[in-house]
Amino acid sequence: MTTDPDFFPHLHTRPLTGWVNDPNGVGFWEGRWHVMYQWNPERPVHGDIRWGHMSSGDLLHWRDEGAALVPRPGGLDETGCWSGVAVADDTVVALVYTAVPRDVKQAATAVARLDRTGKWEQPLRPAAQHPDHSVWKEVRDPFVVTIEGMRFGILGASRVSTPLFRVAEDKTMRACAGVVLIYDASDLDNWELLGELVSAETLPSTMQRAGAIWECPQLVRFGDRWLLVISWDDGAESTASVQEPSPTQGVACFIGEIGLEAGVPRFTALREDEFDSGPDFYAPQLVVDGDRILAWGWAWEGRGSGVNAPPSFSEDAVSWAGTLSFPREVIENDDGAVVCVPARELSQLRGESLRPELVNSRWQIETSVNAFSVTGEVGVRIDVVGEQSGEVRHVCASSDAGPVTVLVDGSIVEVFDRNGSLTMRAYRHPDERWRATSTAQLSGFELRLPE
C-alpha cells in the first residue's frame, strides 16, 4: 500500500481515496448496476464507516456516486453504517444495514429508502434491536430473502455459550459458535426474531464448522437447492486495521435444503465448500441476476509475508486501502462444488496481446503492464522477477484443473480454475516484472476498458 500507482486497482470497483471494505447494497435499478461498500473517505484505516456508492451500466465502467449512507451524530448509526443489502420494497429501493450507535454492542438493523430527490432517507428508529445479549453477541450484517413466498431477514451472530471442536489437522480446539439468526421481515421496518436458521454447532461433524463469529450471511436459491455463504472469524471483535495481524478468517459456503418447522425456516447443510481459497478475500455479497448469481468480495491489503506483505504502512504516505474484487459468477462445477468464474462482461477488457515464449520446455509470459490476463489449459504459476537481479518472488499458482484464468489489476491477483478461485494481494516493486509460466501453451492480454 503506497502512493505508487502500480498498486492501485484501476479497473476494480473502488473510489480513488479512502479505506474500503465489505461490498454492500448490490443491485440493479434505473438501468444501472449499483455497488456500495463500507468506506472511510478521510483516512486509509477502518473508522467513521459510511456506505460509498458506485454505479455502472456494464459492470466495466464505474461512476462514483459519493456516499449513500452516513453516520449521524446522536443517531442510531452515529458510530457507523456497517454491512447490509439493497432490496426492492414496493416501488422503491431500500437499503437494509447495520446501524452502529455509540455502544457498538448495541448494533441494530435499520432501513433507509431512496426518496424522490434521489437521496437516501435514513430512519429514526431501528427495524430490529440487538437480541438477548445473554444468548447471542456480534449480531449484524442483514440479508433479505424470500422463502415459500414469505420475506425473511437473516443476520450473522455468535452464540454466547461457545462450543468447541477438535481440528483434525493440528489437534487444536476451535470455537464453533457461529450462527445465522432468522427474522420475519414481512414488515421491512419491524423485524420479528424467529430463532436460528442454522449454527456451526448443528452442522454435520464431517464439516469444518469454522468460526466463533459468523458474518455477512448470504442465502440464495441455487438450482433446486439453497446456497448459504458465511464469512467466519475465529477471533474476537476486530478493528480490521492493516496495522494489526488478522484473526483467522475465511469464507465458507453450504449447499443445502430449507424446511419449515411451524413456519420457521431451518437450513440443513448437505455439502460444504470453500468460497475462495486465497488469503485476501472476505465478506462477499451475492445478488441474483436472472439466471446467474453475481458476487463481489472484499480484498484487504495483504496480511501475509513475502510478496503478500504490503510495504511499510504510514497513514501520511498513503491515501487508500482495500478494494472490491472483480464481479464473479457463482456456479456448480462438474464435481458438484460451488466455484466462482469471472463475470462474462470482463471478457470485454481485452487489450493488446502479450506474447508467450517457450523457455526451458515451459511456456512463459513476462510483462510490466499493471493490468493483464493470462489463460492456460493446465496449471499456471505467477511470480514477480527482478529486472536486473533476476530474483524470483513467488506470488501464487493455480491447481492443474484447467482451464485457468488469471486476472491481475495493480496489486490484486484473482485466479480461477475448475476447482475454484484464489484471491490475493501482491506488491510488485518498481524494478520487477510479472511472469506467468505453464507446461502448456499460454495466452495473455493487457486489460483495458473498451471505448
Side-chain angles (χ1 to χ4, degrees):
M1 185 162 49
T2 176
T3 52
D4 189 334
D6 289 350
F7 289 151
F8 192 87
H10 291 279
L11 300 175
H12 281 67
T13 313
R14 67 144 294 135
L16 291 175
T17 61
W19 165 279
V20 164
N21 61 295
D22 305 3
N24 300 144
V26 178
F28 187 86
W29 60 86
E30 297 180 350
R32 295 181 67 82
W33 279 101
H34 298 263
V35 174
M36 305 181 194
Y37 40 84
Q38 293 188 44
W39 180 38
N40 179 0
E42 301 299 328
R43 300 169 61 203
V45 294
H46 187 273
D48 193 30
I49 293 297
R50 62 205 60 206
W51 279 24
H53 178 192
M54 300 190 83
S55 72
S56 173
D58 57 6
L59 295 181
L60 300 173
H61 300 82
W62 292 94
R63 184 173 73 202
D64 192 343
E65 305 284 359
L69 304 176
V70 297
R72 296 170 292 169
L76 56 88
D77 46 25
E78 68 175 317
T79 299
C81 302
W82 291 5
S83 288
V85 294
V87 299
D89 186 44
D90 294 329
T91 60
V92 300
V93 177
L95 302 182
V96 185
Y97 67 102
T98 304
V100 186
R102 185 176 299 275
D103 181 358
V104 176
K105 294 181 179 179
Q106 301 298 331
T109 297
V111 180
R113 287 180 174 81
L114 191 62
D115 66 22
R116 294 181 179 179
T117 69
K119 303 294 184 181
W120 297 98
E121 184 178 355
Q122 294 169 230
L124 298 177
R125 65 176 186 85
Q129 297 278 10
H130 192 293
D132 190 341
H133 285 81
S134 69
V135 182
W136 299 288
K137 60 182 179 179
E138 310 289 355
V139 179
R140 53 180 175 261
D141 309 335
F143 185 87
V144 177
V145 61
T146 299
I147 302 172
E148 299 290 341
M150 297 176 287
R151 184 165 62 191
F152 296 93
I154 61 174
L155 290 166
S158 174
R159 193 182 293 148
V160 172
S161 55
T162 306
L164 300 174
F165 74 98
R166 190 174 298 280
V167 180
E169 293 80 8
D170 58 12
K171 309 302 182 183
T172 60
M173 300 299 291
R174 167 179 280 174
C176 61
V179 63
V180 175
L181 302 182
I182 188 156
Y183 292 73
D184 180 343
S186 302
D187 180 349
L188 199 59
D189 296 301
N190 295 281
W191 289 26
E192 179 184 351
L193 179 61
L194 300 176
E196 296 182 358
L197 175 72
V198 65
S199 69
E201 185 183 14
T202 59
L203 293 175
S205 60
T206 54
M207 295 184 178
Q208 288 293 309
R209 297 184 289 173
I213 305 168
W214 280 3
E215 300 183 296
C216 302
Q218 311 282 296
L219 181 64
V220 296
R221 290 290 302 187
F222 196 63
D224 59 354
R225 293 167 295 174
W226 288 88
L227 173 63
L228 174 67
V229 178
I230 59 100
S231 297
W232 57 266
D233 186 335
D234 262 354
E237 188 175 4
S238 172
T239 60
S241 169
V242 74
Q243 297 155 286
E244 300 175 0
S246 169
T248 304
Q249 294 172 307
V251 182
C253 57
F254 305 92
I255 296 176
E257 298 173 343
I258 291 180
L260 296 179
E261 298 179 7
V264 178
R266 308 293 186 194
F267 180 83
T268 301
L270 304 175
R271 178 185 177 116
E272 178 186 32
D273 291 300
E274 191 174 32
F275 196 75
D276 186 285
S277 62
D280 300 320
F281 185 90
Y282 197 68
Q285 182 150 126
L286 278 56
V287 62
V288 177
D289 175 39
D291 62 350
R292 66 177 177 171
I293 300 170
L294 288 174
W296 282 258
W298 168 35
W300 46 46
E301 299 308 315
R303 297 177 177 177
S305 59
V307 74
N308 183 246
S312 297
F313 179 80
S314 168
E315 292 178 29
D316 296 330
V318 298
S319 61
W320 66 277
T323 185
L324 301 191
S325 69
F326 272 133
R328 304 151 179 228
E329 297 181 21
V330 185
I331 64 171
E332 187 175 13
N333 71 8
D334 295 339
D335 298 324
V338 178
V339 299
C340 292
V341 298
R344 60 199 69 171
E345 287 85 350
L346 298 180
S347 63
Q348 299 177 52
L349 292 175
R350 182 173 293 185
E352 296 295 323
S353 177
L354 302 176
R355 188 180 69 180
E357 297 180 338
L358 190 61
V359 179
N360 296 327
S361 300
R362 294 180 65 86
W363 288 97
Q364 175 177 297
I365 290 176
E366 290 194 358
T367 182
S368 295
V369 301
N370 294 332
F372 65 94
S373 68
V374 170
T375 57
E377 291 305 310
V378 294
V380 176
R381 175 187 170 107
I382 303 294
D383 301 295
V384 289
V385 185
E387 294 276 7
Q388 301 299 323
S389 67
E391 178 186 357
V392 176
R393 297 196 298 147
H394 180 56
V395 176
C396 62
S398 74
S399 73
D400 284 329
V404 178
T405 298
V406 180
L407 302 175
V408 176
D409 180 21
S411 53
I412 181 171
V413 180
E414 298 171 76
V415 180
F416 304 87
D417 60 37
R418 207 163 54 226
N419 288 338
S421 58
L422 178 153
T423 304
M424 69 175 293
R425 304 298 295 277
Y427 305 89
R428 178 175 65 98
H429 296 168
D431 61 346
E432 292 177 323
R433 60 187 181 275
W434 295 99
R435 175 187 289 171
T437 56
S438 179
T439 58
Q441 177 68 272
L442 293 173
S443 61
F445 297 89
E446 186 175 356
L447 295 181
R448 292 180 182 174
L449 287 172
E451 297 294 335

